[in-house]
Amino acid sequence: MAEPSSSSKWPDAAPPEGQQTILTISCGNSHIHWATHDISSSPNNNANANEFAPSLFWRTPHINDDDMKDGTSPAMILSRMLPESIHDYIFGAAADASNNVTEEMARDQSQKRAVEKLSVYVVYTNADQLAKLEKLFASIPSNFVVLDGDDFFNEEQGRYNGMGVDRLATLTGAVYFYGHPALVFDGGTAT
């Protein structure tokens, strides 16, 4: 059900007009960091405004290999990782994360939204977890966009090969909020 974006370049990968909520994921070496962004609180309710106010942050452990192998549906695994508000947005308020959430529940709920597909933007340093996330989001109506380093900085701007896209995303955010020059400290997995 999820369709990869044909391009992660802006504005091609921008959420479609009318999208109310987007999901961003930073998939690191030790945890998955998630955030929902309420576009309706952006200036002029404009999805292209480059203002996506974060409304909720949470962190989960990595997706368990055993869950992926034991026959648990991808929709069910995803539902267990979500706080109530985004869970209800995706699966409906009647869906209980502890019971059997289904892909059909996600399809039914998506048809109640102005834009059926949830826009999901991902930066990652862990390819195994990225593959698992892709599988989970393929089970619900979504547009799964994987961002790369050039989406933030190109080599002419100082990006070097091997620089983590998560660090580039953080630096882009720092520059956006605080301007140049910007310095970002990354404690890595040990923190």
Side-chain angles (χ1 to χ4, degrees):
M1 246 186 272
E3 294 179 10
S5 176
S6 58
S7 170
S8 61
K9 301 292 184 222
W10 216 257
D12 297 339
E17 188 174 329
Q19 183 106 64
Q20 295 177 345
T21 300
I22 64 170
L23 182 63
T24 58
I25 302 171
S26 178
C27 182
N29 290 322
S30 58
H31 292 91
I32 301 173
H33 300 268
W34 310 68
T36 57
H37 303 262
D38 182 6
I39 296 174
S40 63
S41 68
S42 297
N44 306 320
N45 276 342
N46 182 354
N48 295 317
N50 294 331
E51 294 280 345
F52 299 100
S55 54
L56 180 65
F57 299 95
W58 71 101
R59 179 176 81 171
T60 62
H62 281 159
I63 302 163
N64 189 323
D65 286 331
D66 293 335
D67 277 344
M68 299 298 286
K69 294 176 186 172
D70 75 0
T72 304
S73 76
M76 188 67 205
I77 296 168
L78 177 61
S79 77
R80 291 177 183 161
M81 303 183 87
L82 303 174
E84 184 177 359
S85 61
I86 190 69
H87 180 276
D88 292 353
Y89 183 80
I90 294 172
F91 296 104
D96 181 355
S98 64
N99 291 325
N100 288 325
V101 170
T102 65
E103 294 175 11
E104 184 178 359
M105 290 175 176
R107 277 193 305 275
D108 290 346
Q109 184 65 19
S110 74
Q111 294 172 357
K112 297 175 185 176
R113 298 191 293 260
V115 175
E116 291 186 19
K117 291 184 179 182
L118 174 66
S119 294
V120 181
Y121 297 91
V122 181
V123 296
Y124 75 99
T125 57
N126 187 314
D128 177 60
Q129 288 296 304
L130 175 66
K132 290 174 183 173
L133 284 167
E134 286 176 317
K135 186 172 183 177
L136 299 186
F137 281 97
S139 71
I140 67 165
S142 62
N143 184 27
F144 192 85
V145 179
V146 179
L147 301 170
D148 62 34
D150 282 340
D151 292 323
F152 300 100
F153 292 98
N154 60 40
E155 289 183 24
E156 293 166 359
Q157 294 170 311
R159 182 184 64 78
Y160 58 87
N161 287 334
M163 188 172 189
V165 69
D166 55 337
R167 293 175 181 165
L168 293 166
T170 302
L171 185 57
T172 299
V175 167
Y176 177 80
F177 284 108
Y178 304 108
H180 290 96
L183 178 64
V184 173
F185 292 92
D186 183 341
T189 304
T191 59

